[in-house]
Amino acid sequence: METYSAVWPNARVLLVVRDPRDQISSLLAMNEARQARGQLPFYPDVESAAAGWANTYRVGMDALKRTATDHMVVRYEDFVSDPTGTALRIGGWLELPVTEGLDFQDSAFVMSHKARFSHHQQLDQPITTSSVGRWQSRLTEDEASAIARIAGELMHRMGYS
């Protein structure tokens, strides 16, 4: 962050945070696909994924504060439940105009990612809340408890019960 701040002193950073239980649940599903391709998993287990989630947030926030970088934290759940309102809020913070109808379906970025990554197959679909709370049917009680034990303080601070 020090390097970025030196090169771009007026930079603004948007930090998107997702409920760690949903994020880890998605990571576990991606791990299966990665292993089927002969790749290593992102994290070997739920505990290390929870520690990684918490560490990423802590390190990121510490760096932003240490360098006094202008930043905004947006919860993934807020974005998918109110995409236009959240985009307008971000646009206002960035002092950029935002138009209605967040339409990414035909972008080259979407098409290339759909071709490369199986977990990006829904990128050209309308924004939905269908993945919010999905952890409740994907994680075991022990896995959810491990995440809460490791990342619970940050989860609570960010509004995740």
Side-chain angles (χ1 to χ4, degrees):
M1 197 66 231
E2 285 78 5
T3 301
Y4 288 125
S5 293
V7 174
W8 295 289
N10 297 318
R12 293 180 177 179
V13 173
L14 177 66
L15 179 61
V16 180
V17 182
R18 186 177 182 197
D19 183 321
R21 296 163 296 191
D22 278 329
Q23 184 171 338
I24 291 166
S25 145
S26 291
L27 280 173
L28 294 175
M30 285 190 289
N31 278 348
E32 292 174 14
R34 289 177 62 81
Q35 289 173 322
R37 292 190 304 265
Q39 296 173 307
L40 294 173
F42 288 112
Y43 291 99
D45 54 42
V46 169
E47 290 82 3
S48 60
W53 179 90
N55 186 57
T56 298
Y57 181 78
R58 278 192 200 104
V59 167
M61 288 305 295
D62 288 348
L64 290 168
K65 289 176 184 174
R66 188 174 58 252
T67 59
T69 301
D70 188 9
H71 65 279
M72 176 184 224
V73 178
V74 173
R75 288 175 15 134
Y76 168 86
E77 296 79 9
D78 295 339
F79 178 72
V80 297
S81 65
D82 182 15
T84 301
T86 304
L88 289 170
R89 198 168 46 116
I90 294 167
W93 170 67
L94 292 172
E95 300 173 19
L96 294 172
V98 176
T99 60
E100 297 281 333
L102 305 166
D103 183 10
F104 306 109
Q105 279 95 353
D106 296 326
S107 78
F109 172 82
V110 167
M111 301 319 262
S112 68
H113 273 65
K114 279 186 69 171
R116 290 181 56 211
F117 304 108
S118 63
H119 62 278
H120 285 177
Q121 294 308 303
Q122 296 179 0
L123 280 177
D124 61 351
Q125 300 301 308
I127 295 170
T128 175
T129 60
S130 65
S131 66
V132 175
R134 192 179 285 171
W135 67 269
Q136 295 172 15
S137 64
R138 286 187 169 177
L139 297 177
T140 68
E141 191 173 313
D142 287 344
E143 289 170 330
S145 294
I147 294 167
R149 184 179 76 256
I150 294 165
E153 175 199 334
L154 284 175
M155 289 172 62
H156 181 71
R157 193 180 320 157
M158 294 177 347
Y160 299 116
S161 58

